[in-house]
């Protein structure tokens, strides 16, 4: 029945693409959650009226968060090619997409965390501080539990965005739903060899001209 409704869809490729998408989304989602919580707490604690009010530090962190939040993901992938190759060892595949996914999503979630923490009743925070609670107690017993509904809503929105990002990560051969959607519609490019004898892409399709930019970095 399903094959009649979707005659051009290859179910084995769809299953493989789903696995790749879940892999990228899960790993990047966990890292985004941890890094976003850390950055969000840093923004909240160093903001005006925070426990460690520091205008310079808050402005610096906020600037970095705003810059990376505003960069389109497809451009961020290209900008992070040298960094990705340095820590992953390759610029192709699902693992190579993880740094860009994390760097693209963590600042977005960090801002949501900051907003969630600002909604915590200041009276509860002051009461906890007046009883001599340590910073760890304040964070893990008051701030995070009290803001947990907003934190869960924020990570849900972020995970949905990560699924879209993982599809765009197909430009570096990360697989996922983009590979499944384009398979059979774009002819595979012939494998090329460089002067050093190394072949490129190992059969990956050149979906976009950006891969030629990736090739420039890989040759270097």
């Amino acid at each position: 029945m399903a094959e009649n409704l979707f005659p051009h869809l290859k179910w084995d490729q769809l299953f493989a693409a789903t696995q790749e998408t879940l892999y990228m989304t899960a790993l990047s989602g966990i890292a985004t959650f941890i890094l976003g919580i850390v950055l969000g707490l840093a923004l909240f604690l160093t903001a005006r009226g925070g426990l460690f009010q520091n205008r310079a530090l808050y402005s610096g962190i906020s600037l970095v968060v705003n810059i990376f939040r505003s960069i389109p993901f497809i451009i961020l992938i290209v900008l992070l090619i040298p960094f990705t190759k340095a820590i992953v060892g390759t610029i192709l595949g699902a693992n190579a997409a993880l740094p860009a996914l994390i760097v693209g999503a963590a600042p977005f979630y960090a801002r949501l965390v900051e907003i969630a923490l600002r909604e915590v009743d200041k009276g509860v925070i002051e009461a906890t501080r007046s009883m001599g609670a340590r910073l760890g107690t304040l964070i893990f017993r008051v701030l995070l539990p009290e803001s947990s509904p907003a934190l869960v809503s924020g990570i849900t929105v972020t995970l949905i965005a990560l699924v879209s990002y993982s599809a765009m990560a197909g430009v570096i051969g990360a697989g996922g739903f983009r590979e499944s959607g384009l398979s059979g519609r774009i002819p595979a490019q012939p494998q090329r060899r460089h002067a050093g004898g190394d072949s490129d892409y190992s059969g990956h399709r050149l979906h976009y001209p950006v891969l030629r930019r990736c090739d420039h970095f890989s040759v270097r």
Side-chain angles (χ1 to χ4, degrees), residues 122-187:
K122 294 186 180 298
V124 176
I125 298 176
E126 292 298 329
T128 305
R129 293 178 61 185
S130 66
M131 290 187 291
R134 298 180 178 179
L135 178 62
T137 302
L138 178 63
I139 292 175
F140 295 105
R141 296 293 182 88
V142 178
L143 291 177
L144 295 182
E146 290 292 326
S147 61
S148 58
L151 294 179
V152 172
S153 299
I155 194 61
T156 302
V157 173
T158 306
L159 287 174
I160 294 173
L162 280 172
V163 174
S164 300
Y165 289 169
S166 67
M168 285 187 280
V171 300
I172 57 172
F177 289 130
R178 173 173 290 280
E179 184 73 15
S180 175
L182 294 179
S183 179
R185 301 182 186 181
I186 298 180

Side-chain angles (χ1 to χ4, degrees), residues 187-206:
Q189 298 293 324
Q191 196 174 32
R192 298 180 295 175
R193 291 187 175 275
H194 304 302
D198 295 331
S199 59
D200 60 354
Y201 307 139
S202 300
H204 286 283
R205 294 182 177 86
L206 294 176

